[in-house]
Amino acid sequence: MTVNKHCGEFHGLPVLDFSGEADEARAWPAPGAAAWRLAVRYGASTGFDGLWKAFLDTVDPAGVRALLVGPWWTRDYDSVGATLATILRDADRLPALEALFLADVTYDECEISWLEMSDVTAVPAAFPHLTELVVRGGNGLALTPFRHDRLKALRFETGGLPGTVVRAVAGSELPALERLELWLGVDEYGGDSTIDDLTPFLDGARFPALRHLGLQNSEYQDEIAAAVAHAPVVARLESLDLSMGVLTDEGATALLEGQPLTHLRALDLHHHYLTDELQQRLRDALPGVAVDLSDAEDEDDPEDRYVAVAE
């Protein structure tokens, strides 16, 4: 599976690419009418600092509601740290920012596990009105527990999410959080979390507003499914996402034999290793639930099974 970018929309707004090279006569929309994607063109004479200055000079930052950071490097895959520092330096000029996508980079621009990330802990504190945060890439990614009173959606897309980051999210205070998605990835790319790291998300004590939980793209998807089958948090979820991983009949059977899932609006299991029989059992058991069983993989040898997003 390849990782694509925003599909034309982010935070409910149309995405507008800004490269700093547009015609000066272009009629730009109102700052809050678009989600602005800043992308340094490969080989550009100026890097992200120049692009950022051009953006602030062109678009009134005080009205910007959504921002996406695309490729920030000119030639080498530099760490996002300096780019992030540039944005945070001017955080007070973005008082209306509600949504940030850090590293909205497509697979043809850079593989997800080649992205050089950094510590993102300062981001939520810098933007108190943030309601949506997406971070793509796990290499070098760091986070310490934080509190944010308005954040409603948090997603980490990685081919390998460090266990330290998983534990930091679990230790954060996010009373408004409604959607949480973690692409756990593989050990080869730094995805060293364990089932114990996920316990705080499952026991129902954390994140009282949570309505959607995604624990995805994992090599231990069967363990996750078995834990979810008896997790207290499930009773108040509207949707559950266990997709993109190495889910087999063992995990699916645990889901079927666990607590009822009929209250869910949607159950996403796409990219899986389920037999036709188990797929039909799921459909029969959950007639009122939108169950996504697409992208069925066929591989009997466990050693050859793979998650959807790794490199």
Side-chain angles (χ1 to χ4, degrees):
M1 175 180 173
T2 56
V3 178
N4 295 315
K5 57 180 180 180
H6 43 72
C7 298
E9 184 177 281
F10 177 57
H11 197 60
L13 297 169
V15 173
L16 182 63
D17 286 290
F18 186 94
S19 68
E21 300 176 5
D23 186 343
E24 292 182 359
R26 178 171 180 175
W28 299 100
W36 301 86
R37 183 179 188 259
L38 307 186
V40 175
R41 296 188 185 279
Y42 184 80
S45 57
T46 59
F48 187 84
D49 280 358
L51 175 60
W52 182 246
K53 183 179 184 303
F55 175 67
L56 296 182
D57 289 343
T58 304
V59 178
D60 180 6
V64 172
R65 296 172 52 208
L67 186 67
L68 305 94
V69 178
W72 56 85
W73 57 87
T74 53
R75 288 181 174 80
D76 298 325
Y77 299 135
D78 300 327
S79 170
V80 77
T83 293
L84 188 55
T86 296
I87 295 173
L88 295 177
R89 180 191 65 208
D90 291 319
D92 61 341
R93 300 184 64 182
L94 297 157
L97 192 69
E98 300 171 355
L100 176 63
F101 193 143
L102 186 59
D104 177 40
V105 178
T106 64
Y107 74 94
D108 56 329
E109 291 167 330
C110 181
E111 297 288 355
I112 191 169
S113 292
W114 297 0
L115 291 169
E116 293 292 335
M117 305 307 293
S118 67
D119 193 323
V120 297
T121 306
V123 172
F127 300 108
H129 296 285
L130 204 66
T131 62
E132 183 173 3
L133 176 61
V134 181
V135 178
R136 178 174 289 167
N139 192 29
L141 181 65
L143 181 74
T144 55
F146 65 96
R147 179 180 177 88
H148 198 287
D149 292 331
R150 298 196 181 190
L151 193 64
K152 293 183 178 181
L154 177 62
R155 184 167 80 249
F156 286 93
E157 301 182 354
T158 77
L161 186 61
T164 53
V165 174
V166 175
R167 292 188 289 274
V169 174
S172 297
E173 296 181 52
L174 306 171
L177 191 69
E178 298 175 358
R179 298 182 60 86
L180 175 65
E181 297 179 52
L182 304 176
W183 295 16
L184 299 166
V186 301
D187 184 70
E188 181 181 357
Y189 291 107
D192 59 356
S193 66
T194 67
I195 193 67
D196 290 339
D197 294 329
L198 305 182
T199 299
F201 307 122
L202 301 176
D203 64 16
R206 282 281 178 184
F207 314 138
L210 196 66
R211 295 297 178 265
H212 171 84
L213 178 61
L215 301 173
Q216 306 151 255
N217 200 48
S218 173
E219 293 180 300
Y220 60 96
Q221 206 72 52
D222 281 344
E223 286 186 77
I224 294 173
V228 165
H230 303 284
V233 72
V234 172
R236 56 183 167 84
L237 295 180
E238 296 175 357
S239 52
L240 176 65
D241 193 335
L242 304 179
S243 66
M244 301 166 58
V246 188
L247 183 69
T248 71
D249 283 8
E250 179 182 349
T253 299
L255 285 176
L256 287 168
E257 294 178 351
Q259 63 188 303
L261 300 176
T262 51
H263 67 287
L264 293 176
R265 175 178 50 80
L267 174 63
D268 192 344
L269 302 176
H270 83 269
H271 184 92
H272 58 81
Y273 291 84
L274 305 183
T275 61
D276 291 343
E277 178 185 358
L278 254 296
Q279 292 182 57
Q280 191 57 51
R281 284 183 60 191
L282 283 164
R283 294 188 186 98
D284 292 342
L286 303 170
V289 181
V291 182
D292 188 346
L293 291 166
S294 61
D295 196 12
E297 302 294 332
D298 184 16
E299 181 52 67
D300 293 330
D301 187 350
E303 295 297 321
D304 291 331
R305 294 170 184 161
Y306 57 91
V307 301
V309 177
E311 186 175 50

